[in-house]
Amino acid sequence: MTKRDINMSKTPDFEDLQQRLNLSRRSFLKTTAAGAGIMAAGGLVELKFGKEAKAFAYEPYPRDDQLQTVVTSCAHNCGSRHMLVAHKWKDVIVRLSTDDGRYQRGGYYGKDGNEEPQLRACLRGRSYRQRLYSAERLLYPMLRVGERGEGKFKRVSWDEALDFVAKKMIHLKNTYGPTSILDQSYAGASYGVLHKSDQIEGLLGRFLGMFGARTSSWSVPSYQATTTSSRWTFGTIQDGNEDDTYAESKLMIMWGWNPAYTFHGGNTFMYLRMAKQRGCKFVIVDPQYTDSASAYDAWWIPIKPNTDAAMMAGMAHYIFSNNLQDQEFIDKFCMGMDEGTMPEWAPQSVNGKENFKDYILGKYDGQPKTPEWASKICGVPAKDIKKLADMYAKTKPAALKASWAPGRNAYGEQYSRMAAALQAMTGNIGKLGGCAEGVGKAWHAEAVAYPYDQYANIWFQSIKSDRWAHCVLNYPNIKREEIGLWPRQDNTDGQIPNIKGIFWQGSDWFNQLTNINKEIQAIKKLELVVCMDSTITPSGIWADVLLPVATHFERHDVALPWYKGHYYIHRPKVIEPMGESKTDFQIFTELAYRIGGDVFGKAYNPKANRDYFNVNDNVDEAYLREWWEGKVMHHQHVDMSWDEFKKHGVYKFKLDRPHVAFQDQVEKGIPFQTPTGKIEILSSELANIEDWTKTKYGYHIPSIPKWIEPWESLNSPKTSKWPYHLISPHPRWRTHSIFNNCAWLRETYEQEVTINAADAKRLGIKMGDIVELWNDRGKVVVPVYVTERCMPGVLVLHEGVWMDLDKNGVDRAGNPDFLTLDNPSPAGAFAYNTVLCNIRKTDLEHRPGWDKLATSRAHVFRRDD
Amino acid sequence: MATEKKDVKKIREAVKRVKRATYTPVKPDMQLGFVHNNVDCIGCRACEMACKDKNGLAPGPRFRRVQYIEGGTYPDVFAYKVNMSCNHCAEPACLPTCPTGAIFKRKKDGIVDIDSTLCIGCRRCEAACPFGAPQFDPIEKIVKKCNMCVDEIEAGRKPYCVMACMMRVLDIGPIEKIWDGSLETVAVGKADKVSRQVKNMANIELTKPSIGFVAHSKGKVK
Ligand code: SF4
Ligand code: SF4
Ligand code: SF4
């Protein structure tokens, strides 16, 4: 064992500290990165002395200043992007810290505040080393040997794995044609400007498109309702403000929004606190009294799931009938809000004859959408609907933040559009402290450093993402509208894709899409399932080939903000790739060479040579430098050089004015990006559709926002058999399914179903009991959390837990997607939150995995005095 | 609870007598302590994770614990968080129970720490602490606890948990300043008052913990 000399002569309290840290005894073991050993030991093996020096050691105890400091960031689709600072010893990351104000230009320890706030990581980010060094880390290429889903694999060489994939791909394309391979890439585990796994235009899409076999998946699981809605209404999905503007609101209505869980945007939650301190009033419309509700001291309005559009219609009725709308704003910027803002072509259009106000007042169907009418549907007392409408119409500026979750429903797009109508009629669009979100994407980052050309998004058919199993199981006897086929301009328009293989890149979609039992049926029919990931995920278990992908700690990239925030974070290669893992860019490049020789290889990765699979550093650096110099410095007027950026690790933009969506439209009269240049409450696209089956929607959608009864809810007759409405929000302790295997996170939160206390009492269920939840689609087993903080009739089970099936197909882990229905909304929204089911105490086995360590419930105290 | 029937004053005096008989605590030159805003904390546990990671802890021991408190009856409910690690108490109950003298309190800033090379894992301190701060590590079979990231403090920085707080509602400082409201910190809002005792925590007379809270209206003690 070698002692490490520490120069502490400058520290006055040297003796005391030495005693404290016991440095002579806690001297750091020299470690050798040993890929093979890592997985077995969950730590690093000290080869020379045969002693363990773990990545998770209480001792030896090096101080930060003795370690090398490397700025990097998180890299997945959590809805945010925070800084991680790796403190490493040789090739081992010993601990992580986060932004403390030191790293940007002109920064210093402790610098914080509105202009350049620290980008502090959340609990998931802070637990990253557990993911990096986890037992589930995928280190070698593997080939399936058992049945699909049985989880039996053998280790193979890269040669063998890649040749297997290449041959299969060629076979599929030659036999079944250009739609035979389904692209299920997602931003799950691999998001940066260079190594990008993206649903639409990522590395995989470009690879399969160039190869000539790609069916793509167009609907986004989290927020398709508002994506489609904002495109119709505003002509863009950039409908968001930067998070610092939240501090300027006087009223904040958080509709289904829980940033205390989702950390939406770099510092959203902190700016909301600032707003509260300045006297902003908070309202939460949600079936749960969330941690956001308590932290912002909000007025909680519990609402029946999937009835949001009805309540909003009730609010609109109150506003119109009391003449509280901002008529000047409406007249100037809106189309179709009322009779006076109807376009000339309306009477001749197929679907565009109705205006929003007259719909609300009941002129067309004889049913005024009064607060009393809405109350019967949504369960909110009419007086509360009126009170909220009154507050919203009279407080200026007021933010109605219409979050994504209520849109993940049957006809979720109606909720999103109804919200936009309210935002517009109160004149809160384009104003500081107001809000037009929606999608919420704000500041625009330069997002692409990888080769981007005419091949970036080639597809031969494109389907609604959660209809792939339906497509595979029923091929070719399906109508195009059943799978939401995107129209094509050539003679392949309307052809049903013949999917025979799936590629997962940075996505655990098999675990995450709806109706998993149907997916299980479908996957058995495929001839090739490839999973590229750094972790052995539940999807991976169902694959034929597992390709180990280097994590973002093991490759060079730059992070961009995902949702809000204006900065770039450098992501150098902090440690060497573990095991035999390669970057996804390396894998696709190598496959391209194997399939199509130099022609395909060079075209796919123009800066690389044949040896890129083994040596990638210089090529990656060249792409990144070109991106920085060409796009960031040039387009975004950044004066910091690439080398200086690398030295600092972060670049934070200072904006001339707070970023507010549509400010120029409202202040300077620049047209909105819609066909008419107006805020289209009446969508001109929808108004003119004749044959719905020929559209990607497949089915009729009203041209103005309307309340449409969902196919199941607490109001439907099905409740006699399935009395509970299940919602599955995003958890705090995972990003979807990522981090599910991290013990640190699982000891603080457990996968459990939330139930209202009175419901539980009636069912004889107590806190911590094991229950089963079931419906026609499947059955799951979980412990229960009994609380007054949840609306009666509603169950909450967070998405993303790793499925764990018993021999009868019961999920012992509690994944809600065994109960969801693979029936998307016409606009493409996943109906994740449109689920009825039943619940009862059970003797069925629950397999908590790491959850047996969970102490979270022990830390919820009830007090009544 | 049956406290009304007992003579609390008498018990308190007896406790003091016992403590004095066994141990005279170190009087630090300046006592450092934590401050936590129970209301504005979103309960995200980033502070907990930062601590686990920094200290290389296995699943199990949790130096910092964010307690969730909730109550009321639907739909009139409330919730708040009480976040505690070790309170580096003025009169630490853990310290005198240690048979090997592994626990010590620093003169300079009052930090209470355990010398892990002396700890034999008898768990007496764990039983003695009214706040649950000492944590037994079932793998290494010793007791570990928060040392206020003394290495960071020596380096002129703040503890990992404080620097992790996404809401900036957790901080450290000289405890007297925290209590009298003179510490400059964003953890405490302009209109907020700091209290030493909140509900859901043991009586501060037991050990005089070095911690202050911004209490929730339902968490205030009269
Ligand atoms: S919010 Fe997202 S980016 Fe930020 S630390 Fe957490 S997981 Fe990482
Ligand atoms: S001060 Fe350090 S050891 Fe103590 S709870 Fe905070 S992070 Fe953990
Ligand atoms: S990090 Fe801050 S906001 Fe989050 S639980 Fe800890 S004290 Fe609360």
Side-chain angles (χ1 to χ4, degrees):
Chain A
M1 217 196 280
T2 34
K3 273 186 198 167
R4 178 165 159 78
D5 279 327
I6 302 145
N7 180 6
M8 295 185 50
S9 52
K10 282 199 215 92
T11 317
D13 208 11
F14 170 51
E15 266 190 42
D16 182 76
L17 183 61
Q18 191 171 46
Q19 189 192 349
R20 181 75 11 74
L21 302 180
N22 216 347
L23 286 167
S24 52
R25 268 166 293 207
R26 289 184 177 182
S27 56
F28 202 85
L29 291 172
K30 277 201 173 141
T31 54
T32 327
I38 290 162
M39 192 166 153
L44 295 168
V45 178
E46 163 56 56
L47 296 172
K48 203 164 158 200
F49 303 99
K51 276 201 172 184
E52 262 190 342
K54 288 178 185 165
F56 303 97
Y58 189 58
E59 297 177 285
Y61 197 85
R63 294 170 309 136
D64 282 6
D65 302 339
Q66 298 170 287
L67 300 166
Q68 197 187 331
T69 303
V70 190
V71 173
T72 179
S73 85
C74 265
H76 48 270
N77 58 330
C78 60
S80 207
R81 187 76 67 236
H82 292 117
M83 186 188 290
L84 296 175
V85 180
H87 301 274
K88 67 167 195 161
W89 176 259
K90 301 209 166 160
D91 206 35
V92 186
I93 303 177
V94 172
R95 70 177 72 104
L96 295 174
S97 66
T98 190
D99 196 358
D100 57 20
R102 257 187 286 186
Y103 305 104
Q104 73 258 26
R105 182 163 57 186
Y108 52 85
Y109 181 81
K111 186 172 196 309
D112 203 2
N114 294 27
E115 194 177 66
E116 292 181 307
Q118 290 174 21
L119 306 164
R120 294 188 177 185
C122 81
L123 73 167
R124 303 180 293 245
R126 300 305 294 250
S127 75
Y128 232 117
R129 290 191 318 121
Q130 279 220 320
R131 179 154 178 258
L132 185 66
Y133 296 124
S134 74
E136 291 78 17
R137 182 68 202 265
L138 178 60
L139 294 172
Y140 312 104
M142 308 255 216
L143 272 187
R144 173 168 66 84
V145 288
E147 288 299 304
R148 203 172 267 144
E150 212 185 351
K152 290 191 181 146
F153 294 90
K154 65 170 182 194
R155 180 178 164 183
V156 295
S157 67
W158 270 110
D159 253 340
E160 197 179 330
L162 292 176
D163 280 344
F164 175 87
V165 174
K167 279 196 195 120
K168 278 275 188 184
M169 285 177 67
I170 293 166
H171 169 76
L172 292 186
K173 183 180 158 191
N174 290 344
T175 320
Y176 307 106
T179 60
S180 55
I181 300 178
L182 178 65
D183 175 347
Q184 287 196 335
S185 178
Y186 202 59
S190 200
Y191 206 79
V193 296
L194 182 58
H195 300 98
K196 191 171 189 178
S197 57
D198 183 90
Q199 199 181 343
I200 309 297
E201 292 187 330
L203 294 175
L204 174 63
R206 190 164 169 280
F207 168 68
L208 292 177
M210 266 189 176
F211 170 64
R214 178 183 182 222
T215 291
S216 77
S217 311
W218 67 261
S219 52
V220 182
S222 286
Y223 54 94
Q224 191 61 44
T226 178
T227 297
T228 332
S229 160
S230 286
R231 287 219 175 95
W232 290 328
T233 315
F234 303 118
T236 174
I237 61 167
Q238 304 282 134
D239 60 10
N241 306 336
E242 283 293 78
D243 49 4
D244 53 329
T245 67
Y246 290 138
E248 310 294 332
S249 297
K250 295 268 184 307
L251 170 69
M252 167 58 76
I253 305 172
M254 305 168 90
W255 208 294
W257 193 40
N258 185 10
Y261 258 51
T262 53
F263 313 118
H264 239 167
N267 275 302
T268 305
F269 31 82
M270 181 188 79
Y271 288 117
L272 290 171
R273 178 180 183 228
M274 229 175 250
K276 183 176 91 165
Q277 287 174 335
R278 292 175 184 173
C280 174
K281 291 270 166 297
F282 284 76
V283 182
I284 290 218
V285 185
D286 199 305
Q288 291 190 88
Y289 184 76
T290 56
D291 279 350
S292 300
S294 63
Y296 303 118
D297 195 16
W299 169 30
W300 179 34
I301 303 180
I303 183 169
K304 286 187 203 166
N306 216 163
T307 65
D308 309 270
M311 172 160 168
M312 287 177 166
M315 288 170 67
H317 188 278
Y318 177 88
I319 292 172
F320 281 135
S321 48
N322 291 285
N323 216 13
L324 294 173
Q325 72 274 23
D326 186 338
Q327 195 63 43
E328 202 189 320
F329 186 92
I330 294 173
D331 292 342
K332 216 163 156 192
F333 300 111
C334 299
M335 182 176 90
M337 182 74 89
D338 52 20
E339 214 183 332
T341 56
M342 286 299 274
E344 274 168 31
W345 48 257
Q348 286 83 47
S349 67
V350 211
N351 300 302
K353 300 184 180 67
E354 300 179 350
N355 72 68
F356 182 65
K357 185 175 179 182
D358 286 338
Y359 161 74
I360 291 292
L361 298 179
K363 210 168 147 188
Y364 308 119
D365 56 3
Q367 174 59 66
K369 313 298 175 298
T370 60
E372 289 73 19
W373 163 87
S375 175
K376 285 204 192 87
I377 297 168
C378 67
V380 179
K383 69 167 187 353
D384 288 345
I385 300 176
K386 290 178 192 167
K387 182 176 156 195
L388 180 62
D390 200 72
M391 277 165 79
Y392 185 46
K394 289 178 180 165
T395 315
K396 310 267 171 208
L400 166 58
K401 165 73 191 178
S403 89
W404 303 346
R408 289 193 292 271
N409 268 320
Y411 310 106
E413 61 274 10
Q414 296 308 323
Y415 146 79
S416 299
R417 298 196 71 211
M418 199 69 86
L422 284 173
Q423 291 159 345
M425 77 169 74
T426 55
N428 276 305
I429 290 171
K431 305 217 173 116
L432 184 62
C435 181
E437 305 174 15
V439 179
K441 291 200 177 172
W443 181 79
H444 189 69
E446 289 290 345
V448 178
Y450 55 89
Y452 189 91
D453 51 20
Q454 69 271 30
Y455 303 107
N457 183 19
I458 291 189
W459 47 268
F460 300 91
Q461 288 302 342
S462 188
I463 60 171
K464 284 181 181 169
S465 307
D466 57 342
R467 293 256 88 186
W468 77 270
H470 189 78
C471 185
V472 168
L473 288 170
N474 297 293
Y475 178 85
N477 303 313
I478 332 167
K479 299 202 192 79
R480 64 182 293 170
E481 58 266 33
E482 287 174 54
I483 51 172
L485 218 48
W486 198 286
R488 285 181 65 88
Q489 303 309 322
D490 57 22
N491 58 7
T492 64
D493 179 47
Q495 262 174 28
I496 304 299
N498 188 7
I499 298 166
K500 290 290 179 183
I502 289 192
F503 248 89
W504 290 311
Q505 181 210 0
S507 113
D508 185 14
W509 267 16
F510 198 67
N511 193 66
Q512 295 301 108
L513 300 184
T514 44
N515 203 351
I516 299 178
N517 279 323
K518 191 162 167 184
E519 289 192 298
I520 290 174
Q521 296 308 312
I523 204 162
K524 292 179 179 156
K525 299 204 151 190
L526 299 184
E527 295 183 18
L528 174 67
V529 183
V530 183
C531 182
M532 301 170 59
D533 212 313
S534 51
T535 307
I536 302 172
T537 60
S539 296
I541 302 287
W542 291 87
D544 302 336
V545 197
L546 300 173
L547 303 178
V549 176
T551 68
H552 67 278
F553 287 107
E554 299 151 60
R555 64 184 181 210
H556 193 183
D557 214 326
V558 172
L560 64 165
W562 190 96
Y563 185 67
K564 292 181 191 300
H566 30 280
Y567 50 83
Y568 293 111
I569 306 175
H570 185 228
R571 250 190 230 149
K573 192 192 252 188
V574 184
I575 54 173
E576 287 303 312
M578 285 172 60
E580 290 177 4
S581 52
K582 300 282 177 190
T583 73
D584 22 29
F585 201 21
Q586 281 177 304
I587 296 169
F588 293 132
T589 305
E590 181 62 22
L591 274 172
Y593 274 106
R594 279 172 198 244
I595 291 168
D598 281 0
V599 179
F600 190 2
K602 241 342 200 205
Y604 183 70
N605 190 344
K607 288 200 200 305
N609 292 320
R610 192 68 183 82
D611 63 352
Y612 183 71
F613 197 62
N614 300 315
V615 204
N616 62 342
D617 290 351
N618 292 342
V619 172
D620 289 359
E621 162 81 15
Y623 277 116
L624 291 166
R625 178 185 287 275
E626 183 180 80
W627 163 80
W628 183 268
E629 288 172 353
K631 294 186 173 164
V632 178
M633 291 181 71
H634 194 249
H635 301 334
Q636 297 186 301
H637 315 295
V638 166
D639 63 356
M640 188 185 275
S641 72
W642 169 243
D643 292 314
E644 212 188 326
F645 170 62
K646 288 202 294 185
K647 219 173 72 220
H648 283 292
V650 63
Y651 183 88
K652 296 180 182 174
F653 285 79
K654 294 182 192 174
L655 305 181
D656 304 338
R657 61 173 195 197
H659 180 107
V660 175
F662 312 124
Q663 188 172 354
D664 285 345
Q665 279 83 344
V666 169
E667 282 177 7
K668 299 185 190 153
I670 294 170
F672 284 84
Q673 288 159 264
T674 52
T676 56
K678 299 272 187 189
I679 298 172
E680 293 198 355
I681 305 301
L682 166 75
S683 159
S684 40
E685 180 198 326
L686 297 178
N688 293 299
I689 293 175
E690 285 183 40
D691 183 353
W692 292 92
T693 62
K694 295 264 162 62
T695 66
K696 59 182 187 274
Y697 314 121
Y699 306 95
H700 173 263
I701 301 172
S703 306
I704 50 169
K706 282 189 178 178
W707 158 249
I708 304 175
E709 190 78 37
W711 44 81
E712 50 191 63
S713 80
L714 286 175
N715 298 325
S716 62
K718 289 185 197 166
T719 48
S720 59
K721 195 162 176 211
W722 311 115
Y724 293 91
H725 194 126
L726 178 77
I727 57 172
S728 50
H730 294 168
R732 172 146 72 190
W733 58 101
R734 293 186 292 266
T735 296
H736 306 303
S737 75
I738 306 171
F739 298 108
N740 186 66
N741 57 328
C742 292
W744 288 345
L745 295 172
R746 296 182 70 157
E747 73 174 342
T748 52
Y749 298 96
E750 105 186 282
Q751 179 72 3
E752 61 198 358
V753 62
T754 305
I755 187 172
N756 169 275
D759 285 344
K761 196 169 173 203
R762 213 183 43 250
L763 295 168
I765 293 171
K766 288 195 293 299
M767 179 86 99
D769 282 351
I770 305 296
V771 295
E772 59 185 81
L773 268 59
W774 82 103
N775 62 17
D776 289 338
R777 271 101 61 185
K779 182 177 282 188
V780 303
V781 181
V782 272
V784 70
Y785 162 42
V786 177
T787 182
E788 301 282 355
R789 295 171 64 175
C790 181
M791 191 180 190
V794 177
L795 302 174
V796 186
L797 184 61
H798 289 91
E799 52 99 17
V801 74
W802 289 9
M803 65 169 103
D804 176 14
L805 296 176
D806 74 5
K807 59 182 190 312
N808 300 316
V810 175
D811 177 36
R812 294 169 288 197
N815 184 326
D817 285 308
F818 282 96
L819 308 177
T820 50
L821 180 62
D822 60 319
N823 188 18
S825 197
F830 282 59
Y832 281 125
N833 291 324
T834 307
V835 176
L836 288 180
C837 70
N838 208 341
I839 179 173
R840 68 175 167 224
K841 238 171 121 158
T842 190
D843 294 326
L844 288 174
E845 188 192 8
H846 170 244
R847 278 228 294 217
W850 279 109
D851 284 2
K852 64 176 181 291
L853 292 163
T855 45
S856 54
R857 281 290 82 79
H859 286 264
V860 175
F861 296 93
R862 242 200 86 77
R863 51 173 318 110
D864 290 301
D865 49 334
Chain B
M1 280 212 278
T3 33
E4 311 100 74
K5 288 177 205 128
K6 290 193 178 148
D7 186 345
V8 178
K9 212 173 138 208
K10 193 175 144 202
I11 292 174
R12 273 189 198 148
E13 269 158 19
V15 167
K16 268 185 207 155
R17 250 196 328 275
V18 172
K19 268 197 294 186
R20 251 183 247 116
T22 50
Y23 162 62
T24 313
V26 171
K27 276 238 164 359
D29 304 340
M30 177 269 299
Q31 174 71 52
L32 281 177
F34 288 103
V35 57
H36 176 252
N37 190 319
N38 294 179
V39 188
D40 292 355
C41 168
I42 55 174
C44 68
R45 291 182 165 143
C47 49
E48 281 196 31
M49 282 307 116
C51 177
K52 298 270 305 196
D53 180 64
K54 173 172 191 269
N55 291 295
L57 297 181
R62 289 164 79 177
F63 289 0
R64 182 162 283 288
R65 299 159 311 281
V66 182
Q67 302 172 78
Y68 287 18
I69 289 123
E70 60 179 53
T73 308
Y74 174 87
D76 187 16
V77 294
F78 66 88
Y80 62 89
K81 318 285 178 265
V82 177
N83 187 354
M84 247 190 226
S85 58
C86 166
N87 296 321
H88 304 280
C89 305
E91 297 169 8
C94 55
L95 197 151
T97 64
C98 178
T100 67
I103 309 182
F104 56 92
K105 186 169 174 68
R106 294 224 296 188
K107 180 92 175 74
K108 185 183 168 190
D109 48 22
I111 291 174
V112 178
D113 197 3
I114 307 177
D115 181 340
S116 58
T117 58
L118 289 177
C119 176
I120 54 169
C122 71
R123 305 179 72 170
R124 286 190 202 178
C125 55
E126 191 192 356
C129 173
F131 305 104
Q135 301 274 307
F136 185 64
D137 182 329
I139 297 162
E140 290 178 44
K141 305 229 180 326
I142 56 169
V143 172
K144 303 172 172 180
K145 73 167 197 62
C146 159
N147 65 355
M148 219 186 246
C149 289
V150 71
D151 50 331
E152 287 293 285
I153 289 185
E154 292 298 338
R157 297 188 292 262
K158 288 182 177 181
Y160 261 50
C161 53
V162 167
M163 294 308 288
C165 178
M166 302 188 87
M167 291 294 280
R168 286 75 159 166
V169 296
L170 181 66
D171 208 347
I172 58 157
I175 195 64
E176 297 294 339
K177 284 187 159 190
I178 288 174
W179 287 335
D180 69 20
S182 63
L183 182 78
E184 227 176 89
T185 171
V186 289
V188 181
K190 283 205 178 66
D192 294 335
K193 291 255 167 328
V194 176
S195 28
R196 296 182 59 179
Q197 174 88 59
V198 294
K199 284 182 185 170
N200 306 92
M201 102 185 243
N203 190 337
I204 59 169
E205 289 307 320
L206 291 168
T207 65
K208 304 211 165 54
S210 311
I211 190 161
F213 295 109
V214 175
H216 189 275
S217 57
K218 303 276 188 186
K220 290 201 171 108
V221 282
K222 282 130 234 157

